[in-house]
Amino acid sequence: MILYNEKQLECIEHPPAPLMIIAGAGTGKTTTLIGRIAYFINERNISPENILVLTYTVKAAEHLKNSIPNLVQSSADKINASNFHSFALAKITAYHEVLGYSILPTFIEPSEVKCILKEIIHANIDILESSNYKKDINLANVNVPKVFDRFRDELIVEDELIKKRDAIIANKENEENDLQLLDCINLFFKYQDFKKKKSWIDFGDMIIDLWTLVNNQKVLIDIQSSIKHILVDEYQDNNFALSQIIMKLSGENGSVTVVGDDDQSIYSFRGANVIAFNEFRDHYESF
C-alpha cells in the first residue's frame, strides 16, 4: 500500500478537471499521477478505456504501463498509455485518408531523413538564394533540418510559410538570414512533397499531422468520443505543438492533468519550454 502525503492526496483526489502539478525531482510526481489514475477508476468509476496517459519518451510510457497494474487490477490494460509519437502514429494510421495519404504511411528513421535531405539540398543547389549556403553546402545540411524541426514544433503550417515566402520574395532588400529562411521554406515544400508521394512520414510529420487531425472537427469529435480524461507526465518536456494538441484534445470537458518540473527540460533543444505551464494556466483558468 502506498502512503501519500497531504499534497499528493490533494492532487490525486482533485475532481476530473484541469490540474497542473509542479514539483521538483524526487518528489513523487509520477507516483502521484499513477495514484490519480487509480483514483479515477477505483473511486470515480471512470472507464479505463476513456483515459489517455501521455509521456514524451518511450521509457517513461513503459514505466507507467508497468506501474499502473499495481493499483488498478484487471482493467489496467484498457488504459491508453503511450508516448506522444506512438499516439500520433496510431491516429495517423486510423485517419490517413483524411490527411491525403493514398496508402498507410511508412515511418522513416532519422538516419534516412538525413540522407534524403542531403539529396534534396544538393539537387536544388542552383536555386538557393543564400550566398552562404551556395558557398558551403554543408552549412545548409546542418541548418536546414533544424529549421524544419522548428516549423513543425511551432506549428508553422503551410499557409503561414507561403505568406512568409511571398513576403521575402517581395522584399528587394533582404538580408542573408531572410534568404536562408526563404531557401528553407522552398526546400521544406520539396521535402514534404517528396515524402507525401511515397506515403512516408518522419517524427516531425507525426506531430503536425496529429495537429491537422485535431483541427478537423469530425475527426476531433471521433477521437474525443473515447478519450474523456488526459494525463500527461513530464510536461516540461512538451514543446508548443504538443501543448496545443493536448489543449485541443481536452475540449470543453477539460479533464486534463499535467505533471512536471519547471526547473528541468531535457528536450529544450527541440523547443520544449516552461512557457507551457503558463499557457496551461491561462487556457484553463476559466474552467
Side-chain angles (χ1 to χ4, degrees):
M1 179 179 178
I2 299 176
L3 296 177
Y4 302 105
N5 61 39
E6 184 179 346
K7 284 294 184 182
Q8 287 176 313
L9 277 175
E10 183 181 346
C11 294
I12 289 170
E13 297 176 359
H14 183 80
L19 174 65
M20 180 169 60
I21 303 171
I22 301 177
T27 55
K29 295 189 298 296
T30 301
T31 298
T32 303
L33 185 71
I34 295 171
R36 184 158 171 75
I37 295 169
Y39 171 76
F40 275 0
I41 296 171
N42 298 334
E43 304 298 329
R44 289 273 182 171
N45 295 318
I46 291 172
S47 298
E49 55 264 34
N50 290 152
I51 297 174
L52 171 65
V53 186
L54 293 172
T55 69
Y56 195 89
T57 66
V58 174
K59 183 178 179 181
E62 288 301 319
H63 173 67
L64 283 170
K65 285 180 180 179
N66 294 332
S67 301
I68 291 171
N70 295 327
L71 296 178
V72 181
Q73 299 304 316
S74 60
S75 58
D77 60 343
K78 296 180 181 178
I79 298 171
N80 186 355
S82 67
N83 70 312
F84 272 101
H85 287 94
S86 295
F87 174 74
L89 184 58
K91 298 308 172 188
I92 292 168
T93 299
Y95 300 101
H96 67 280
E97 292 181 350
V98 175
L99 292 165
Y101 295 106
S102 56
I103 59 175
L104 284 176
T106 302
F107 172 70
I108 50 176
E109 296 288 344
S111 57
E112 296 176 274
V113 169
K114 188 176 181 180
C115 292
I116 293 169
L117 284 177
K118 279 188 176 181
E119 290 179 5
I120 290 175
I121 293 170
H122 283 252
N124 291 278
I125 191 170
D126 291 339
I127 65 170
L128 296 180
E129 298 291 340
S130 163
S131 58
N132 287 347
Y133 284 171
K134 287 181 178 180
K135 292 175 185 176
D136 184 2
I137 197 65
N138 288 325
L139 179 65
N141 291 337
V142 172
N143 288 351
V144 170
K146 293 178 181 178
V147 176
F148 285 9
D149 286 339
R150 295 303 294 268
F151 288 164
R152 274 91 69 93
D153 290 346
E154 297 180 12
L155 297 178
I156 304 175
V157 295
E158 183 175 332
D159 289 347
E160 294 178 63
L161 291 175
I162 291 173
K163 288 179 181 178
K164 185 60 179 177
R165 180 195 63 188
D166 292 346
I168 295 174
I169 293 174
N171 184 8
K172 302 304 180 183
E173 298 181 358
N174 288 305
E175 297 183 357
E176 173 63 20
N177 287 343
D178 297 316
L179 296 177
Q180 288 187 15
L181 178 57
L182 176 61
D183 287 339
C184 287
I185 293 172
N186 287 329
L187 290 169
F188 182 73
F189 286 144
K190 290 181 180 297
Y191 175 57
Q192 294 300 98
D193 287 343
F194 176 82
K195 288 181 297 171
K196 202 62 172 279
K197 290 176 182 177
K198 295 181 177 290
S199 284
W200 289 352
I201 58 173
D202 60 20
F203 276 122
D205 294 325
M206 290 184 190
I207 301 306
I208 203 71
D209 280 353
L210 181 57
W211 176 246
T212 300
L213 288 175
V214 299
N215 277 282
N216 180 305
Q217 194 62 19
K218 184 178 180 180
V219 173
L220 178 62
I221 291 173
D222 192 29
I223 295 174
Q224 288 175 333
S225 67
S226 60
I227 297 173
K228 304 297 184 182
H229 308 275
I230 304 172
L231 301 98
V232 185
D233 199 11
E234 303 298 346
Y235 192 64
Q236 75 279 349
D237 289 330
N238 296 329
N239 57 35
F240 174 77
L242 298 177
S243 298
Q244 293 300 306
I245 288 170
I246 292 166
M247 293 177 190
K248 195 78 175 179
L249 284 172
S250 70
E252 295 180 1
N253 176 40
S255 179
V256 53
T257 301
V258 300
V259 179
D261 180 352
D262 57 357
D263 286 332
Q264 296 183 13
S265 182
I266 61 173
Y267 288 98
S268 59
F269 67 94
R270 287 192 57 82
N273 57 75
V274 296
I275 294 175
F277 291 105
N278 292 329
E279 290 177 338
F280 184 94
R281 185 180 294 108
D282 292 342
H283 181 78
Y284 291 108
E285 64 180 356
S286 61
F287 280 68

